[in-house]
Amino acid sequence: MPRKRNSRLLRLAARPVCAALLFSLVGTTTLSQAAITDTPTQVQARVTSSEAKTKNPIVLVHGLFGFDNVLGIDYFYRIPESLAGAGAKVYVAQVSGANSSEIRGEQLIQELKNLRALSGNPSLKFNLVGHSQGAPTARYVAAVEPGLVASVTSVGGANGGSKVADLLRKIPEGSATEAVVAETLRLAMLLLGAISGKDPSELPEVPLNALNSLTTAGGAAFDRKFPQGRPAPGSSCDVKSGPAEVNGVRYYSWSGVQPLTNALDASDVAMGGLSLVAFGSETNDGLLAVCSTRLGTHLGDYRQNHLDEVNQLFGLTYIGLWTLFEKKPVQLYQEQAARLKSAGL
């Protein structure tokens, strides 16, 4: 299916496999770094139905280490095209791959305002769908600019932080090791950004900001400032849903709960290893404990790991007889779009 894109479009694509090692970034920058002037264009595909034709455009928001298109690999693998083919107007946001959720949120706000201006509709809203750090990024936008947002959907969202980030944060602050790791990751992100058309002056990469946002302490601090849609602090893991609607914004979430899903998928090795080291017997997707991902209306837990949630790697997700009864990632996104359409969103 053909796609028309602008090299500076609001999109990103990445190999979330890097996310397995990712969370080792973050320093200090100001929100003034977030201002950008991207002119987004939508993902296009041959339309075969109207099942996903939502009232408001869908904007997919990538997580940590997200970028545009690198060597034909998209972060949300084959998901934008499937939604566009089912009638949705779809954009893929492009924000810093490694920075705080607040700075990424400010970047996303500017991109949404650009889209609104281009549409000629001063009251246009958006359905934000965020994976991993894309979830708190979208939550930030909904909290500070609710007039821009119709709904927020968290997919394996880093809403309560990650114990993997906690492990990485044990590297002594200010140490030579921390400096080397942070600079290595920053340079890697700059390289990936250059390949995918990012402008580092508009979308700065500050790995230590990202790490601090993604620790459990960082997640708790974010929740105190922006609690919309989250279960009450201290809630049992049995509480799977938070407030369904706050300030006119609907909240939804689903999560992965199985680190190892496909022996043929090389990324499963990283997911399984991180699961053992960081979570022990706690239910998780390889990078996040399922209890930390809850937001708004709970839509289900699926036998997916953190990369399966965005149909990676290359659509090689889970296999086995039980998958005959398990929904595939692309189907989950299509069903959510249909749900948003039915809700008039």
Side-chain angles (χ1 to χ4, degrees):
M1 291 181 284
R3 271 208 282 185
K4 296 180 182 177
R5 300 187 178 205
N6 185 303
S7 63
R8 283 177 161 233
L9 170 165
L10 269 138
R11 330 159 277 172
L12 48 185
R15 256 179 143 151
V17 71
C18 298
L21 310 173
L22 54 99
F23 297 110
S24 63
L25 353 159
V26 184
T28 57
T29 55
T30 63
L31 292 180
S32 63
Q33 289 177 295
I36 61 171
T37 57
D38 283 329
T39 304
T41 57
Q42 72 185 88
V43 174
Q44 295 186 348
R46 184 172 64 86
V47 179
T48 59
S49 76
S50 61
E51 294 178 5
K53 191 175 182 179
T54 55
K55 175 183 176 181
N56 302 291
I58 293 172
V59 179
L60 301 173
V61 187
H62 66 85
L64 186 63
F65 282 9
F67 48 84
D68 197 331
N69 180 286
V70 174
L71 303 179
I73 303 167
D74 288 336
Y75 185 95
F76 293 93
Y77 188 70
R78 294 185 176 174
I79 292 168
E81 298 96 326
S82 71
L83 293 173
K89 181 175 287 187
V90 185
Y91 299 90
V92 186
Q94 180 162 275
V95 297
S96 291
N99 217 317
S100 71
S101 298
E102 290 89 342
I103 288 175
R104 286 161 46 99
E106 285 291 321
Q107 294 167 354
L108 181 56
I109 286 171
Q110 187 58 54
E111 291 179 340
L112 297 180
K113 287 182 176 179
N114 288 345
L115 278 177
R116 177 183 273 184
L118 288 170
S119 75
N121 179 358
S123 60
L124 181 66
K125 295 186 177 184
F126 302 90
N127 292 305
L128 306 181
V129 180
H131 173 249
S132 194
Q133 195 185 5
T137 301
R139 288 172 54 202
Y140 175 86
V141 177
V144 303
E145 292 276 3
L148 276 172
V149 183
S151 71
V152 171
T153 300
S154 167
V155 182
N159 295 307
S162 169
K163 290 183 178 180
V164 175
D166 291 347
L167 290 175
L168 291 169
R169 187 63 282 181
K170 290 182 179 180
I171 298 174
E173 292 190 49
S175 68
T177 300
E178 180 190 62
V180 170
V181 171
E183 183 62 11
T184 299
L185 291 170
R186 188 185 72 84
L187 292 174
M189 280 309 307
L190 288 175
L191 175 60
L192 291 174
I195 296 172
S196 61
K198 280 188 181 182
D199 183 343
S201 67
E202 295 179 343
L203 302 175
E205 305 294 355
V206 189
L208 291 179
N209 280 352
L211 178 61
N212 291 337
S213 282
L214 292 168
T215 61
T216 53
F222 188 91
D223 278 351
R224 287 192 292 272
K225 291 187 289 185
F226 312 110
Q228 293 87 342
R230 287 282 283 156
S235 295
S236 163
C237 193
D238 293 332
V239 178
K240 296 185 177 182
S241 293
E245 183 173 344
V246 183
N247 294 333
V249 179
R250 301 278 186 91
Y251 291 88
Y252 305 87
S253 63
W254 75 81
S255 307
V257 294
Q258 188 164 318
L260 296 172
T261 61
N262 190 337
L264 302 178
D265 186 344
S267 66
D268 275 34
V269 176
M271 295 294 99
L274 289 170
S275 174
L276 288 174
V277 171
F279 302 103
S281 61
E282 186 176 9
T283 303
N284 67 91
D285 68 359
L287 284 178
L288 297 167
V290 68
C291 297
S292 70
T293 64
R294 308 304 192 194
L295 184 75
T297 301
H298 177 65
L299 300 176
D301 293 328
Y302 298 92
R303 284 177 281 196
Q304 301 174 5
N305 64 34
H306 201 66
L307 305 189
D308 294 336
E309 292 158 1
V310 286
N311 203 36
Q312 291 287 355
L313 293 174
F314 312 109
L316 188 64
T317 56
Y318 38 95
I319 59 174
L321 291 177
W322 52 268
T323 62
L324 297 174
F325 310 98
E326 189 85 7
K327 295 175 181 177
K328 285 289 190 177
V330 173
Q331 182 183 356
L332 293 176
Y333 286 84
Q334 290 175 331
E335 288 186 355
Q336 176 60 355
R339 185 178 291 110
L340 295 172
K341 175 186 176 182
S342 296
L345 301 173

